[in-house]
Amino acid sequence: MPKAIAFGTFDGFHHGHKFYLDTAKAHGDLTVVVGRDATVLKVKGRLPQRDEQARLADLKAAGYNAILGGAGDKYAV
């Protein structure tokens, strides 16, 4: 089966996130990469409301194969 990857902050997992991830999952075996707090701060100019471990736990609880992004390089997984 092909592989698929999706990146995001997922701060407050909601139906839009689920739609995005389920659409990506239709293209292959999905891995979801959760943005690190430091990466979110650098990209968005603010910290997320929920820390990276809580956001990661939400995605895992929703049944997704989720991992944290690279600590130094946001594309390193």
Side-chain angles (χ1 to χ4, degrees):
M1 172 177 243
K3 295 182 186 249
I5 191 166
F7 292 84
T9 303
F10 307 105
D11 197 15
F13 187 70
H14 55 71
H15 292 292
H17 291 134
K18 183 170 177 12
F19 179 80
Y20 163 59
L21 296 176
D22 289 347
T23 300
K25 191 174 185 176
H27 295 281
D29 186 25
L30 178 65
T31 298
V32 180
V33 182
V34 177
R36 296 287 194 128
D37 292 344
T39 302
V40 175
L41 178 61
K42 185 176 179 180
V43 172
K44 295 186 176 186
R46 64 173 174 78
L47 285 170
Q49 294 178 353
R50 304 183 70 236
D51 70 44
E52 60 194 32
Q53 293 297 327
R55 294 179 285 118
L56 178 66
D58 284 349
L59 288 163
K60 287 185 175 188
Y64 295 102
N65 174 30
I67 61 172
L68 287 174
D73 178 355
K74 66 183 177 183
Y75 298 112
V77 290

